[in-house]
Amino acid sequence: MLLRGYETTGPWGWLTLLLVACAAWASEITFELPDNAKQCFYEEIVQSTKCTLEFQVITGGHYDVDCQLEGPDGSVLYKEMKKQYDSFTFTASRNGTYKFCFSNEFSTFTHKTVYFDFQVGEDPPLFPSENRATALTQMESACVSINEALKSVIDYQTHFRLREAQGRSRAEDLNTKVAYWSIGEAIILLVVSIGQVFLLKSFFSDKRTTKTRVTS
């Protein structure tokens, strides 16, 4: 995929792009989407080309984001609100620049980390003569099978990495909450202990004062 450009809105829009997973022609990108921000990407697509957009929110809030895909004429081809993950396949109806945007404008405080994979067209054949009428040789058939298996392995590895990143983020959030809760309990215990000491001292002080008055 050729990434034509991107635009952002919001106070921290220029900081959103964190990581380009592959080279400039790559289709997989992971980026940070700040709160109250929107980020758009553009792609030049030729008519009748089959395309697939797949995305997933890795970290942040309720792991949801708004996604919208527009054609060259501004028509909305796909629009979903507050989705954690989704996949959409379409065939380009005309030549032009297609635009897809991810929005976190509904969130006031929470940053999101979003992964997306935008595939344009189909992979070229492994062999130039793969689509010929005659049958493939045994070696060619084995190479094609291995190639398809490797593609599946890459897809599985990508999804496992996303799940691992999401699980690690949740574990870190839980660890932070547990740490804050433990600190709060320690502070409360300290305050209660000091309060009990002063309360007991006040009881003995009252008795000593009363005894002195009675003796007088």
Side-chain angles (χ1 to χ4, degrees):
M1 182 189 75
L2 175 61
L3 185 63
R4 300 295 298 180
Y6 64 92
E7 65 178 14
T8 57
T9 59
W12 302 98
W14 60 281
L15 289 175
T16 54
L17 192 60
L18 291 184
L19 173 65
V20 176
C22 301
W25 290 86
S27 59
E28 299 179 54
I29 292 180
T30 302
F31 66 97
E32 184 177 349
L33 187 61
D35 50 280
N36 295 316
K38 179 180 180 182
Q39 184 159 344
C40 297
F41 299 84
Y42 302 84
E43 176 69 23
E44 290 284 346
I45 302 177
V46 181
Q47 184 178 2
S48 301
T49 302
K50 185 178 180 181
C51 308
T52 301
L53 172 63
E54 181 180 0
F55 69 92
Q56 180 176 343
V57 181
I58 303 175
T59 63
H62 297 288
Y63 302 90
D64 54 356
V65 72
D66 297 340
C67 181
Q68 180 171 314
L69 173 65
E70 298 180 3
D73 56 351
S75 60
V76 178
L77 305 178
Y78 170 84
K79 183 177 182 180
E80 288 292 340
M81 312 295 290
K82 297 185 178 181
K83 294 285 290 186
Q84 295 183 353
Y85 58 88
D86 203 4
S87 178
F88 175 69
T89 301
F90 69 99
T91 301
S93 59
R94 62 177 67 189
N95 299 333
T97 303
Y98 287 74
K99 170 184 175 183
F100 56 100
C101 301
F102 299 94
S103 174
N104 193 31
E105 295 174 317
F106 59 86
S107 180
T108 307
F109 305 103
T110 308
H111 283 50
K112 306 288 176 63
T113 302
V114 183
Y115 160 86
F116 76 86
D117 179 9
F118 191 57
Q119 299 179 0
V120 180
E122 298 179 353
D123 294 334
L126 189 60
F127 300 102
S129 57
E130 186 174 336
N131 296 325
R132 63 191 177 189
T134 58
L136 297 175
T137 65
Q138 185 175 0
M139 181 66 71
E140 290 175 340
S141 299
C143 290
V144 171
S145 299
I146 293 173
N147 184 50
E148 295 298 325
L150 289 176
K151 289 180 183 178
S152 299
V153 169
I154 292 174
D155 290 338
Y156 281 122
Q157 286 180 336
T158 299
H159 285 88
F160 280 132
R161 283 197 297 267
L162 293 176
R163 289 184 180 181
E164 188 272 336
Q166 193 174 60
R168 183 174 65 251
S169 174
R170 291 181 176 177
E172 291 175 353
D173 291 341
L174 181 60
N175 180 63
T176 301
K177 292 178 180 178
V178 170
Y180 286 149
W181 180 263
S182 301
I183 293 173
E185 285 187 332
I187 293 174
I188 293 173
L189 182 61
L190 180 62
V191 171
V192 170
S193 301
I194 295 175
Q196 288 178 343
V197 171
F198 281 105
L199 183 61
L200 290 175
K201 289 180 64 177
S202 66
F203 289 160
F204 288 109
S205 297
D206 292 342
K207 290 181 178 180
R208 185 178 302 172
T209 304
T210 303
K211 186 176 180 180
T212 303
R213 289 179 181 177
V214 172
T215 305
S216 301

